[in-house]
Amino acid sequence: CLIPCLIKPTISVFTLDSTGNIDVIERGNLYVIADTTPIRSRQIRAGEVSPVVLRIKFRSEGEGIEVKDLSIAGGSSEIDRLELFEGSSVSPFAVARGLNCRAPTSGVFCSNSEWSIAADTEKVILVKAYVRSDSPADVSGNTIALYLTSGTSPQPAVEARGIHSNDTLSQNDGDGNKEGEVFIGTTSASANVTVAGPTHDLVASSITAIQNAHSDSDNTSVPVGNAAIGALRFRASEKASTKSFPVNINNIVFSVFADNVQVDQSSFSLYNTSNPDDTQSCSASADTGDITVTCSNLKASTVATTIDQGSTTSLTLKANILNPQIGNKASTLQVGLRNLGSRSNTGTVEWDDNETTFDWVDIDENRVESTRYYNN
């Protein structure tokens, strides 16, 4: 085999000049912040899907982004799930549960449903909570304040990938550069900031509406002598569990506008419209002008101020009008409630759900007025 062994194989390499550019696909970036549309604190009833409790805005940059995991903290064990909505949709596109988290942690809810944001666009996600209906008594008095963590423990708030690059986005490394990362609570390549929603109260029942209930129409002449000068109707939430939790009103602070009208300061009293004979005396700050009238300890009085769930009750304020028109100008008399609908404005109506006392009401109006009496 001497001759074959002396023959060495020849390897030839042929190359061609490039006929085009090679595209390098870079990962996009994702910015997650609190939406600019404000939401207020709410009273979340057991057994019902809540109003919106958190609004989150997602903005993609450079390519379409697919969100793979969303982790929302700040909940409680009484919450069964968080529901995620897009825009005005009435049905959730995803649900977040504690058991969905890779490292289940008390108060943290995770969604593994994948959804996308087109390249260089924004998407607002609305979050609602469903509180378990099996233990309203345990729920009442607790609070939640949902947020997206700025850190990565027990897991990042958002995990995503670039749709075009097919690469997983990194978590923000804080170096100020955009390198295919998820940025939380910031609109630029800067340090993460917690995305936090307001504080919400958990309740077994609540006041859902307050409306004028007086039979007199606006611009009726200012009455003289003892008269029912204002009446308001209170509605309690519907029953959402096997046990009833009525609303019990204990204190009410009325605002009485008596412009050019004089009222006997010691004559104010409150009664249930259906039973005028049982009254409770109220204290007043003045006899004319802007008068603050406080009706206290109503639960201990003979006035019926308990509202069964799904029902209404009307309360009437009475006073002795000494002079319906003090001077030679128009006079106005009107009863109302002010500083409503905000957790930071307390004291106008104090009530309880048979378990916990609350000093604010969750309605859309910040003030409710009864009949406006007027003399020209």
Side-chain angles (χ1 to χ4, degrees):
C1 65
L2 293 177
I3 295 176
C5 293
L6 294 174
I7 300 174
K8 297 182 179 179
T10 301
I11 299 174
S12 299
V13 178
F14 300 92
T15 62
L16 294 175
D17 294 335
S18 174
T19 58
N21 296 324
I22 299 175
D23 293 330
V24 177
I25 301 175
E26 295 185 356
R27 289 177 296 174
N29 299 285
L30 179 64
Y31 302 88
V32 184
I33 62 172
D35 184 37
T36 53
T37 300
I39 59 173
R40 59 184 176 86
S41 296
R42 306 305 299 252
Q43 290 170 352
I44 304 174
R45 293 182 292 274
E48 298 181 17
V49 176
S50 74
V52 176
V53 291
L54 185 67
R55 294 178 64 103
I56 314 168
K57 180 183 290 185
F58 294 77
R59 178 172 66 86
S60 63
E61 180 184 67
E63 66 173 327
I65 302 295
E66 182 180 70
V67 175
K68 301 180 71 64
D69 291 280
L70 174 63
S71 174
I72 302 175
S76 70
S77 60
E78 290 82 17
I79 295 177
D80 175 72
R81 64 184 182 271
L82 299 179
E83 298 185 357
L84 310 183
F85 296 78
E86 183 179 348
S88 58
S89 175
V90 296
S91 300
F93 70 87
V95 172
R97 299 181 184 275
L99 293 177
N100 291 346
C101 300
R102 290 196 305 274
T105 305
S106 177
V108 180
F109 297 81
C110 301
S111 170
N112 310 131
S113 299
E114 297 180 355
W115 48 277
S116 62
I117 308 155
D120 301 310
T121 64
E122 295 179 343
K123 181 172 288 190
V124 176
I125 302 303
L126 313 181
V127 181
K128 301 180 181 181
Y130 179 81
V131 177
R132 297 191 345 255
S133 61
D134 57 351
S135 57
D138 297 331
V139 166
S140 178
N142 292 334
T143 61
I144 63 168
L146 302 181
Y147 66 93
L148 303 185
T149 181
S150 60
T152 56
S153 179
Q155 67 183 71
V158 177
E159 296 179 75
R161 73 171 183 89
I163 295 175
H164 191 47
S165 66
N166 201 33
D167 282 344
T168 299
L169 271 60
S170 303
Q171 296 298 312
N172 182 5
D173 59 13
D175 66 0
N177 295 320
K178 298 185 291 184
E179 302 164 319
E181 299 169 77
V182 177
F183 298 95
I184 302 295
T186 176
T187 58
S188 62
S190 57
N192 282 350
V193 179
T194 299
V195 176
T199 298
H200 307 283
D201 290 305
L202 305 187
V203 298
S205 61
S206 66
I207 297 171
T208 59
I210 305 174
Q211 300 170 315
N212 178 30
H214 209 301
S215 57
D216 289 344
S217 59
D218 281 345
N219 297 322
T220 299
S221 297
V222 178
V224 181
N226 288 313
I229 61 174
L232 296 171
R233 181 183 301 109
F234 297 78
R235 175 174 291 278
S237 58
E238 298 290 334
K239 185 178 178 180
S241 64
T242 56
K243 184 178 179 181
S244 294
F245 290 86
V247 167
N248 307 296
I249 299 175
N250 190 38
N251 299 323
I252 304 178
V253 178
F254 293 96
S255 296
V256 178
F257 182 58
D259 184 31
N260 202 34
V261 176
Q262 185 180 19
V263 185
D264 180 354
Q265 186 172 343
S266 64
S267 68
F268 286 95
S269 63
L270 187 74
Y271 63 86
N272 189 302
T273 306
S274 63
N275 186 7
D277 294 332
D278 290 336
T279 63
Q280 171 75 356
S281 297
C282 305
S283 62
S285 62
D287 63 359
T288 189
D290 281 312
I291 307 172
T292 299
V293 178
T294 303
C295 303
S296 304
N297 300 317
L298 297 175
K299 283 180 63 175
S301 73
T302 58
V303 179
T305 59
T306 293
I307 316 170
D308 292 331
Q309 288 195 266
S311 301
T312 64
T313 196
S314 297
L315 301 177
T316 297
L317 187 66
K318 182 172 69 173
N320 182 20
I321 310 302
L322 300 177
N323 192 337
Q325 197 162 9
I326 299 171
N328 294 324
K329 66 173 187 175
S331 58
T332 302
L333 178 66
Q334 189 169 35
V335 173
L337 299 177
R338 300 175 184 173
N339 299 322
L340 302 171
S342 172
R343 196 172 187 268
S344 60
N345 291 334
T346 60
T348 300
V349 180
E350 182 189 275
W351 61 277
D352 69 66
D353 59 0
N354 261 11
E355 298 292 334
T356 306
T357 298
F358 300 91
D359 57 4
W360 69 286
V361 292
D362 180 9
I363 62 174
D364 292 333
E365 297 79 17
N366 61 15
R367 61 189 295 166
V368 177
E369 308 287 356
S370 187
T371 297
R372 177 181 180 268
Y373 294 97
Y374 180 76
N375 288 352
N376 57 22

